[in-house]
Amino acid sequence: NAGVTQTPKFRVLKTGQSMTLLCAQDMNHEYMYWYRQDPGMGLRLIHYSVGEGTTAKGEVPDGYNVSRLKKQNFLLGLESAAPSQTSVYFCASSHRHPDRGDTQYFGPGTRLTVL
Amino acid sequence: GNSVTQMEGPVTLSEEAFLTINCTYTATGYPSLFWYVQYPGEGLQLLLKATKADDKGSNKGFEATYRKETTSFHLEKGSVQVSDSAVYFCALEGGSYIPTFGRGTSLIVHP
């Protein structure tokens, strides 16, 4: 199993450009998440999905859109990139275990720089 | 709402020293508690977890006990190694699909 994979690993954008980050998981997990990690800020949830065709806003959703057309994929889009979106982006997935705690499985991250 | 507070770093230790990283939480009900570790350049990975009060999670020599009376889940290791240098995140999941993470504590272990 590859687990959670993210594409691309690195990207440099100019202000105003758009891009899509792809997250894929092969564990048949229902839940998927996008986080951003910035120095001193820990992890902040951008958007999440509790199943195919569903998405919801997290703590910092402005400037991002997401789609979950297939259960195994969760896409994060930036329509008009801004320097404030320079960050490391992590995707995660989890499976619902009501009595066992929902462990999050993380991808390796995408390092995005917006100039 | 839920919250997790963990000690600020960096924590700097010599090899074979004892490690404690404090974590306290605020939550309604009975959340599950986690410690994740992030090695340089990688994503987070589960280190250990506990799903009910008084449970002890353990892995790779690390331990943490779910203390409901003090709302704590402190991470300990008896003898750290240089390879333990990483960022450690305490987290809880309270049944709402959305976990709550602490801000992370950087651990630096010198030979």
Side-chain angles (χ1 to χ4, degrees):
Chain A
N1 284 353
V4 179
T5 58
Q6 292 183 232
T7 308
K9 289 184 168 53
F10 303 93
R11 185 72 186 268
V12 178
L13 291 178
K14 294 182 179 178
T15 297
Q17 288 184 319
S18 63
M19 78 164 294
T20 299
L21 283 67
L22 171 63
C23 175
Q25 53 95 4
D26 61 1
M27 296 172 283
N28 201 34
H29 286 171
E30 298 92 345
Y31 306 153
M32 297 187 75
Y33 308 79
W34 276 107
Y35 297 90
R36 59 178 290 173
Q37 185 177 32
D38 303 291
M41 301 294 291
L43 285 174
R44 292 185 290 171
L45 182 65
I46 304 171
H47 287 279
Y48 65 100
S49 168
V50 300
E52 182 178 318
T54 74
T55 63
K57 294 180 180 180
E59 180 186 355
V60 289
D62 294 342
Y64 305 95
N65 56 76
V66 288
S67 64
R68 182 115 182 256
L69 298 180
K70 294 183 179 180
K71 188 177 184 179
Q72 63 267 33
N73 295 337
F74 195 30
L75 278 63
L76 178 71
L78 286 72
E79 290 188 348
S80 179
S84 60
Q85 294 177 305
T86 294
S87 187
V88 181
Y89 292 85
F90 288 101
C91 177
S93 69
S94 69
H95 176 63
R96 190 68 178 164
H97 288 294
D99 300 320
R100 288 158 50 189
D102 299 336
T103 299
Q104 298 242 307
Y105 294 83
F106 284 82
T110 295
R111 185 173 297 276
L112 175 66
T113 302
V114 182
L115 302 176
Chain B
N2 297 338
S3 67
V4 173
T5 303
Q6 57 183 110
M7 59 191 292
E8 290 190 21
V11 174
T12 304
L13 295 173
S14 297
E15 205 165 25
E16 299 183 2
F18 185 86
L19 168 71
T20 299
I21 301 178
N22 291 336
C23 172
T24 57
Y25 69 89
T26 301
T28 55
Y30 302 93
S32 296
L33 301 175
F34 305 81
W35 277 102
Y36 289 86
V37 59
Q38 182 181 30
Y39 298 104
E42 299 183 8
L44 282 70
Q45 57 185 276
L46 179 69
L47 179 59
L48 54 84
K49 71 179 183 183
T51 58
K52 60 183 187 293
D54 299 324
D55 268 2
K56 177 185 285 188
S58 61
N59 186 26
K60 300 182 181 180
F62 291 89
E63 292 183 340
T65 301
Y66 188 161
R67 302 286 190 200
K68 188 164 177 61
E69 64 275 13
T70 54
T71 61
S72 65
F73 193 54
H74 304 322
L75 182 68
E76 297 182 336
K77 186 175 185 183
S79 176
V80 293
Q81 305 300 312
V82 172
S83 57
D84 294 327
S85 298
V87 181
Y88 293 81
F89 290 89
C90 185
L92 69 82
E93 198 279 317
S96 67
Y97 318 122
I98 303 172
T100 300
F101 287 88
R103 292 197 169 190
T105 301
S106 174
L107 170 65
I108 301 169
V109 180
H110 293 294

